[in-house]
Amino acid sequence: MSEPRDAYTIHDLRNWAAATADLDLPARLAVIGDPVAHSLSPQLHNPALEATGAGCQYVRLHLQAEEIAEALGLLEGAGFLGVNVTIPHKETVFSSISDVTDVARRIGAVNTVVVENGELIGHNTDAPGLQRAIREQFSVDLTDMRVLILGAGGGAGKAAAVQCAMDHCDRLVLANRTEEKAQALRGELVDLMTDPDRLEGPSSRLTAIPWEPKALEREMDQIDLVIQCTSLGMKRTDPEVLPQSLIQPHHLVYDMVYSPPRTRLMAAAEAEGARAANGLSMLLWQGVLAFEFWFNREAPVEAMRQGLEAATGAS
Ligand code: NAP
């Protein structure tokens, strides 16, 4: 019996029983991505599978975009309970599945697939995972928060914005390097931010701004929570996301980046007396929610947290 390989391919999936015959437990869950070898999802889910005695394991599947449709069609026959989806396939999987949840439809991206009675159901647990992470890190709910999303043009930024709007946040300010994408997202969220019980219309509660210091400065007094949704901060040479002088002690700063564990933005926030957290908690909670969709039972959160902490060296 042996350990699973770093990543399996479409060729393996076509003959899954033979490709995984040497494993001590059947591989019935996977993360699909390109690249995927860096994904921490096995370290998050395998401790949960072990803790619950699920009798199966979680592996990585390295797939190209043109292999996605075939791969989805092979899952049930290969005995899969479901898969997670990571960059760059979340939108492709969304377009390939007809049965998706409202949240996934709003975001246009699927990060969790459940195989159920021969059907595939597409979920997005990034958005509610962020909601849980904010609650855990800052003891606040998105409801009633005034939120600035940095990177509102990418998939993660869209998931964050949709969740904030669905949770009826008080104010939502969208900023993105390519401003047109933030404007487009604003248009998609107007209905969610229109509250017939409020006197003011959606325009005062929902706005898209250019990502530049002057425009950001005008907003920061009326912001409680900043959510950083770009990949900036992963490399030491990355530019500053937000000028430090704009951060105020009352701000809560959530950086979706978790490697390094203390990002430059977090350090800047803490230097200004603000509270800050990295994106590891979002990774944890999107996984917890995925596990609960696959098994229809409560996930062993602490086992998953310990798995992630061991994998990242966090504690
Ligand atoms: P994506 O769809 O490729 O979007 C990238 C976003 O970053 C876009 O808004 C893009 O702006 C912006 N961006 C990229 N380089 C930039 C730069 N130099 N200056 C300013 N903006 C820049 O990626 P994604 O899926 O949204 O992921 C974004 C980040 O979130 C990644 O680091 C990912 O690992 C992280 N993430 C974390 C979690 C978690 O669980 N913690 C979950 C999902 C994602 P333009 O539109 O102008 O290109």
Side-chain angles (χ1 to χ4, degrees):
M1 293 295 169
S2 59
E3 289 287 300
R5 276 188 259 145
D6 275 353
Y8 293 86
T9 66
I10 189 73
H11 303 289
D12 299 316
L13 194 54
R14 287 180 188 135
N15 199 351
W16 195 238
T20 57
D22 59 336
L23 298 180
D24 52 354
L25 286 172
R28 302 184 68 200
L29 290 161
V31 54
I32 67 179
D34 178 23
V36 77
H38 67 284
S39 170
L40 294 177
S41 291
Q43 287 99 315
L44 175 65
H45 284 289
N46 280 322
L49 297 173
E50 204 179 318
T52 54
C56 62
Q57 63 180 305
Y58 186 112
V59 297
R60 299 184 185 89
L61 267 172
H62 189 175
L63 298 177
Q64 317 286 320
E66 59 275 16
E67 297 165 347
I68 294 292
E70 180 188 356
L72 291 173
L74 290 168
L75 290 180
E76 198 204 359
F80 274 80
L81 303 171
V83 288
N84 282 131
V85 187
T86 189
I87 294 173
H89 296 324
K90 294 180 188 183
E91 288 80 11
T92 309
V93 170
F94 170 78
S95 318
S96 313
I97 291 186
S98 53
D99 194 355
V100 298
T101 60
D102 283 350
V103 183
R105 185 172 299 108
R106 274 275 177 191
I107 301 167
V110 161
N111 81 324
T112 301
V113 177
V114 180
V115 181
E116 205 171 289
N117 305 325
E119 302 290 325
L120 301 183
I121 302 163
H123 297 260
N124 188 304
T125 66
D126 282 333
L130 171 72
Q131 175 204 57
R132 301 282 187 100
I134 297 286
R135 189 180 296 158
E136 179 176 81
Q137 296 290 331
F138 300 130
S139 309
V140 296
D141 282 324
L142 293 173
T143 309
D144 299 331
M145 285 270 121
R146 299 171 299 175
V147 187
L148 168 64
I149 309 263
L150 294 172
K158 190 167 184 184
V162 165
Q163 189 65 50
C164 290
M166 289 181 95
D167 283 358
H168 307 295
C169 67
D170 192 46
R171 222 172 148 245
L172 191 53
V173 179
L174 308 171
N176 196 56
R177 176 178 60 180
T178 313
E179 195 190 338
E180 300 74 47
K181 292 193 206 165
Q183 293 289 0
L185 180 56
R186 184 197 173 280
E188 291 172 31
L189 296 178
V190 167
D191 65 324
L192 285 175
M193 292 295 283
T194 306
D195 182 348
D197 294 336
R198 295 174 74 126
L199 286 176
E200 77 273 39
S203 54
S204 57
R205 296 180 55 221
L206 175 64
T207 179
I209 62 165
W211 186 338
E212 56 188 39
K214 279 276 164 242
L216 289 165
E217 188 177 2
R218 279 193 290 275
E219 300 293 337
M220 293 305 275
D221 281 350
Q222 293 145 62
I223 290 296
D224 307 305
L225 173 66
V226 177
I227 309 179
Q228 198 300 107
C229 309
T230 76
S231 51
L232 288 177
M234 295 179 81
K235 290 191 273 178
R236 226 148 30 122
T237 49
D238 280 344
E240 193 176 51
V241 177
L242 195 60
Q244 183 170 327
S245 58
L246 297 187
I247 304 175
Q248 303 172 21
H250 77 273
H251 288 144
L252 304 172
V253 177
Y254 191 85
D255 195 339
M256 282 198 192
V257 170
Y258 49 82
S259 176
R262 189 164 184 261
T263 62
R264 188 173 169 186
L265 175 63
M266 288 171 66
E270 284 165 2
E272 294 303 319
R275 290 163 67 198
N278 72 24
L280 210 57
S281 48
M282 177 176 170
L283 184 64
L284 169 69
W285 285 102
Q286 63 76 32
V288 166
L289 296 169
F291 185 98
E292 293 182 350
F293 281 127
W294 293 324
F295 291 99
N296 205 16
R297 58 160 289 175
E298 211 171 301
V301 180
E302 288 317 309
M304 299 176 84
R305 195 191 304 278
Q306 281 167 25
L308 260 194
E309 287 175 356
T312 57
S315 62

